[in-house]
């Protein structure tokens, strides 16, 4: 658990679902004093919705940080933020029912987050997703969650994982320059870790329009994961 390192800790969390519902993942990142990503964690959720992934990311972040540490949490999910800052008090008064009398969606996660927020100082800050020169912490969490959703494997600083790759949803101008070099180098598959192929955990569709099956070899393409032979098609 992240303990009291300083007066205030700045963090971000995000979730991703490839299909909504579909293969999903969550991620959180905690910054150092210069708001540079210092520690992070991401994990797979199997098949889930975006909302479940977003709430899970928040729950995992709150679990990872000591309750006496004041937190600023940056999120791009209006649903998850409003669920815990705006709607939750009314839900509790109504016995975990919505204003329409229906059971609150994802109630177990919301109840757990409510317990984790009890007695601690948390400032939620909304940041727009996938913006050129957007919030770097949210961008990091977005990329980590997207990777976890795609490959369905845990990652993070405790795992010794490299920085997550660019999200296919983020404009190129906001991507790290080093991630662009393989596409400028004539598509040499040996010039970058982007040449790595993995076995797909779930079926999907390549940027070329053709599908790939679960268990098939896939590689990181310009717009996401797909056939290895399509890797440099957008170069």
């Amino acid at each position: 658990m992240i303990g009291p390192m300083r007066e205030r800790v700045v963090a971000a969390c995000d979730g991703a679902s490839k299909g909504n519902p579909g293969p999903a993942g969550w991620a959180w990142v905690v910054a150092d004093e210069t708001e540079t990503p210092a520690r992070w964690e991401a994990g797979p959720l199997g098949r889930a919705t975006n909302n479940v992934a977003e709430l899970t990311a928040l729950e995992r972040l709150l679990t990872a940080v000591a309750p006496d540490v004041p937190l600023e949490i940056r999120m791009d999910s209006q649903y998850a933020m409003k669920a815990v800052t705006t709607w939750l008090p009314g839900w509790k008064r109504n016995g975990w029912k919505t204003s329409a009398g229906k059971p609150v969606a994802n109630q177990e996660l919301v109840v757990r987050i409510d317990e984790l927020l009890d007695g601690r100082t948390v400032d939620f800050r909304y940041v727009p997703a996938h913006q050129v020169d957007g919030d770097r912490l949210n961008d990091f969490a977005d990329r980590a969650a997207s990777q976890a959703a795609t490959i369905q494997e845990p990652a993070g600083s405790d795992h010794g994982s490299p920085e997550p790759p660019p999200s296919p949803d983020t404009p190129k101008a906001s991507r790290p320059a080093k991630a662009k070099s393989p596409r400028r180098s004539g598509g040499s598959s040996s010039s970058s870790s982007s040449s790595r192929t993995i076995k797909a955990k779930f079926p999907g569709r390549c940027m070329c329009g053709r599908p790939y099956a679960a268990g098939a070899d896939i590689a990181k393409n310009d717009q996401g994961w797909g056939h290895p032979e399509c890797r440099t098609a957008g170069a």
Side-chain angles (χ1 to χ4, degrees):
M1 176 174 286
I2 298 174
M5 297 177 287
R6 52 194 184 277
E7 289 186 2
R8 180 184 178 94
V9 168
V10 179
C13 59
D14 205 357
S17 175
K18 307 300 183 179
N20 196 30
W26 56 270
W28 57 259
V29 57
V30 170
D32 62 15
E33 290 85 348
T34 63
E35 295 199 3
T36 299
R39 185 177 173 193
W40 62 286
E41 186 178 4
L45 281 171
R47 183 179 174 84
T49 64
N50 274 328
N51 288 345
V52 167
E54 299 276 5
L55 289 172
T56 300
L58 176 57
E59 186 268 334
R60 298 299 173 92
L61 171 61
L62 292 171
T63 300
V65 178
D68 58 342
V69 177
L71 265 176
E72 175 185 312
I73 300 179
R74 300 176 183 177
M75 305 176 68
D76 62 29
S77 169
Q78 292 273 21
Y79 162 78
M81 185 175 293
K82 287 184 177 180
V84 299
T85 62
T86 304
W87 304 327
L88 195 150
W91 289 343
K92 289 177 70 174
R93 286 194 302 270
N94 293 338
W96 297 107
K97 295 287 196 301
T98 67
S99 57
K102 297 181 179 180
V104 171
N106 310 312
Q107 177 180 326
E108 186 175 329
L109 271 170
V110 176
V111 170
R112 171 65 176 153
I113 290 168
D114 181 43
E115 293 171 349
L116 289 166
L117 288 172
D118 186 39
R120 69 194 299 165
T121 302
V122 179
D123 177 26
F124 288 93
R125 178 179 160 197
Y126 174 75
V127 291
H130 314 307
Q131 301 294 303
V132 175
D133 299 324
D135 182 82
R136 64 189 301 193
L137 293 180
N138 176 256
D139 176 67
F140 191 103
D142 171 75
R143 290 185 281 127
S146 180
Q147 176 178 249
T150 300
I151 66 176
Q152 290 293 298
E153 292 178 3
S157 47
D158 287 351
H159 293 269
S161 306
E163 182 173 324
S167 167
D169 299 318
T170 304
K172 291 181 183 179
S174 68
R175 296 180 180 180
K178 64 182 181 180
K180 297 181 181 179
S181 57
R183 294 193 293 274
R184 292 198 302 266
S185 64
S188 171
S189 62
S190 61
S191 64
S192 164
S193 61
S194 67
S195 62
R196 184 172 69 100
T197 61
I198 62 170
K199 298 290 186 183
K201 295 281 187 179
F202 294 88
R205 188 171 298 276
C206 179
M207 66 177 186
C208 72
R210 293 181 293 124
Y212 56 82
D217 287 334
I218 56 173
K220 188 73 174 177
N221 293 318
D222 189 29
Q223 282 110 22
W225 292 84
H227 306 114
E229 64 270 21
C230 298
R231 181 167 44 225
T232 59

